Amino acid sequence: MARNRLNRRTVLKNGAGIAGLSVLGGSATASEANTESGRISGPDYGGSAVGFEITDVDGGGTLIENVSVYETPMLADLHTVVWDEGWELVKNTRDDAFRHYVSTDDGAPGGTAIVTFEYVNPYEAIVKYWPVLTQRAIASAARPALLVEQELELGSYSPIRYGGSPGLRHTIYTIANPTIGTEATSGVVTEKRGYDAFVASTDAYSVAIVQRCVEPDVRTGFDGHRVGDVGVAQGTDRSAWVDIYEEADGWIDRNFANEGDIDFGAGLYVGGDQDAGAITPVPTWRTGIGFATSNGVAIDNAIATVEDGYETERNRY
């Protein structure tokens, strides 16, 4: 098993609002932790309406969860984790928010979450910065798919003399918890049309996840990935949540497949090096989640929505 010098990310298995979701990963259930979690539903393609929630978590931050289609639960939750390589710190949008804000789109089945993290230099505690992560999620009007488009702004520094100079380098991790109905799920990492893709499937349905970095450059691969067994803390089958977020050592142990009660994590290196006064593109990337009754079509749906992007998807409504 190869070890890749990349980052770690977070995953929680929450369940509420959809029958059949279970709680995994050692966190409070959604019903215990959520204060607001309005349901967002897309167009109905003969029973294939995509529904999801952007949850405002009591005492925490935000979470995309309870994703369903075909009137069946598909993903318990979708987490974003930010890893700072220079200061060796890891944050996730649910547990580690310094400030957060959630809103819904009145004109389309979508919503926005804005999360601010506080990073404190572990070697020089007076030095801090506040990166801001913006997520925009929308159910596609063109296909059974969910798009999450995100931006990471490095934010402000204190003391100000450190502004732009710490050489901040980030990897973003997405961790997903497939829960397709109540059946055991198989998961595999594959490739199609130049994209790395993760596919979780049962005999009835498939869920595919791809990512596309659009700034500062276009990339369609995973910078490390893991298909884990939820609840396993050690060994070759340990969960992606444990490997990425709990161990938080800047490594991800790559594997390609697993089955049962699985989770999945993938990395995306977005850099972030800045010279004082330099203007650099804000790192921007898209996560596409496609649904279908076959693996190939699920991947095609995920790829199509990340290639369209949020504005194109939004303008369809």
Side-chain angles (χ1 to χ4, degrees):
M1 180 180 297
R3 267 174 98 80
N4 303 313
R5 181 75 170 116
L6 293 166
N7 313 335
R8 313 231 146 224
R9 190 175 159 111
T10 103
V11 29
L12 309 168
K13 268 270 203 191
N14 291 331
I18 299 178
L21 291 189
S22 59
V23 178
L24 305 164
S27 63
T29 66
S31 58
E32 293 171 337
N34 299 346
T35 55
E36 295 182 21
S37 86
R39 189 90 183 140
I40 299 170
S41 295
D44 190 336
Y45 303 99
S48 61
V50 175
F52 67 101
E53 297 168 14
I54 301 181
T55 300
D56 186 338
V57 179
D58 186 17
T62 68
L63 181 67
I64 296 173
E65 63 179 352
N66 295 343
V67 181
S68 65
V69 68
Y70 309 114
E71 300 180 348
T72 300
M74 292 290 179
L75 291 178
D77 43 40
L78 184 73
H79 288 260
T80 298
V81 177
V82 180
W83 164 264
D84 182 290
E85 181 180 326
W87 290 2
E88 299 184 345
L89 297 172
V90 62
K91 305 285 184 179
N92 79 76
T93 56
R94 179 195 137 135
D95 300 303
D96 303 319
F98 180 68
R99 287 186 297 267
H100 70 278
Y101 171 77
V102 176
S103 64
T104 56
D105 188 333
D106 292 337
T112 299
I114 301 173
V115 176
T116 301
F117 302 110
E118 181 180 52
Y119 273 79
V120 180
N121 189 326
Y123 310 108
E124 192 172 359
I126 192 174
V127 183
K128 301 179 181 181
Y129 74 101
W130 291 267
V132 178
L133 178 72
T134 300
Q135 299 177 316
R136 298 187 295 171
I138 190 168
S140 175
R143 59 193 69 87
L146 174 65
L147 174 69
V148 183
E149 187 163 296
Q150 304 187 71
E151 298 176 349
L152 179 66
E153 297 184 70
L154 296 186
S156 58
Y157 297 84
S158 177
I160 193 65
R161 67 179 180 272
Y162 286 93
S165 62
L168 305 172
R169 296 174 298 279
H170 295 89
T171 298
I172 308 300
Y173 279 88
T174 298
I175 298 178
N177 293 276
T179 51
I180 305 176
T182 58
E183 300 179 54
T185 305
S186 62
V188 63
V189 175
T190 185
E191 186 273 339
K192 188 174 185 180
R193 292 167 47 194
Y195 282 81
D196 287 343
F198 164 74
V199 185
S201 61
T202 64
D203 290 341
Y205 300 115
S206 299
V207 179
I209 298 176
V210 303
Q211 64 187 18
R212 180 180 179 90
C213 182
V214 293
E215 290 287 356
D217 57 349
V218 175
R219 286 175 288 126
T220 57
F222 296 146
D223 293 328
H225 52 74
R226 179 162 192 80
V227 187
D229 189 338
V230 171
V232 176
Q234 297 180 338
T236 57
D237 286 333
R238 71 186 179 281
S239 77
W241 163 258
V242 170
D243 189 44
I244 292 169
Y245 182 70
E246 292 188 1
E247 292 183 4
D249 60 4
W251 295 82
I252 184 170
D253 292 328
R254 186 193 304 263
N255 72 345
F256 289 86
N258 216 322
E259 61 183 11
D261 195 2
I262 63 173
D263 61 3
F264 168 71
L268 176 67
Y269 181 72
V270 296
D273 290 324
Q274 290 186 341
D275 296 325
I279 299 175
T280 59
V282 174
T284 304
W285 66 99
R286 302 166 183 163
T287 301
I289 306 169
F291 309 96
T293 55
S294 69
N295 288 1
V297 175
I299 296 173
D300 288 339
N301 288 338
I303 291 173
T305 197
V306 295
E307 292 189 342
D308 283 348
Y310 186 88
E311 292 302 325
T312 296
E313 292 285 15
R314 175 64 180 78
N315 289 337
R316 290 194 170 106
Y317 289 97

